Amino acid sequence: MSRKVSIQTLADQLGLSKYAVSRALSGKTGVSEATRARVLELARALGYRQSTPGATNSPVAANHADPSEPPFALICMNQLNRGEPHYWQRVLSGMISACNERGWHHAIVSLLWG
């Protein structure tokens, strides 16, 4: 049985803080691209798996058909929420910004559910 790889394990092996490793893994600012690349490379090599609630426990940078293609985010919006346009515009803007920061393709689909 393999041992679970933790953020602390990655931090220790790279000589970084847990904070830096966490920010690198989550794609947040505060670490250089070189550091982020080192963290992601080691995380993949050691089989690090994120354990966030609701996650599918998939490895970092999950395998897909063509690794040269960036991930794709599909954002589904319920048209019934149009009654609060200022709130939902901010939510969508944040999601789009996050996709753009990570180099992900994205699409917004607006459906009428009810």
Side-chain angles (χ1 to χ4, degrees):
M1 177 186 275
S2 64
R3 179 178 65 95
K4 181 177 177 183
V5 178
S6 68
I7 289 177
Q8 185 65 59
T9 302
L10 297 172
D12 291 344
Q13 289 195 22
L14 292 167
L16 299 170
S17 68
K18 283 174 48 175
Y19 176 81
V21 171
S22 175
R23 294 197 68 82
L25 290 171
S26 63
K28 294 181 180 174
T29 60
V31 294
S32 69
E33 287 305 312
T35 297
R36 185 180 321 279
R38 287 179 48 220
V39 170
L40 292 175
E41 181 180 345
L42 182 62
R44 282 187 201 103
L46 296 180
Y48 172 79
R49 294 180 182 268
Q50 293 178 323
S51 59
T52 55
T56 59
N57 201 23
S58 61
V60 173
N63 295 331
H64 54 286
D66 185 355
S68 67
E69 285 292 320
F72 188 91
L74 177 62
I75 303 166
C76 298
M77 181 73 184
N78 185 340
Q79 285 186 356
L80 297 176
N81 291 324
R82 292 191 317 188
E84 304 170 37
H86 298 292
Y87 173 79
W88 288 107
Q89 183 58 43
R90 289 177 55 201
V91 170
L92 288 173
S93 293
M95 295 171 85
I96 291 167
S97 293
C99 287
N100 290 337
E101 286 173 10
R102 289 164 178 77
W104 295 5
H105 297 294
H106 61 277
I108 300 171
V109 178
S110 182
L111 303 171
L112 180 59
W113 294 318

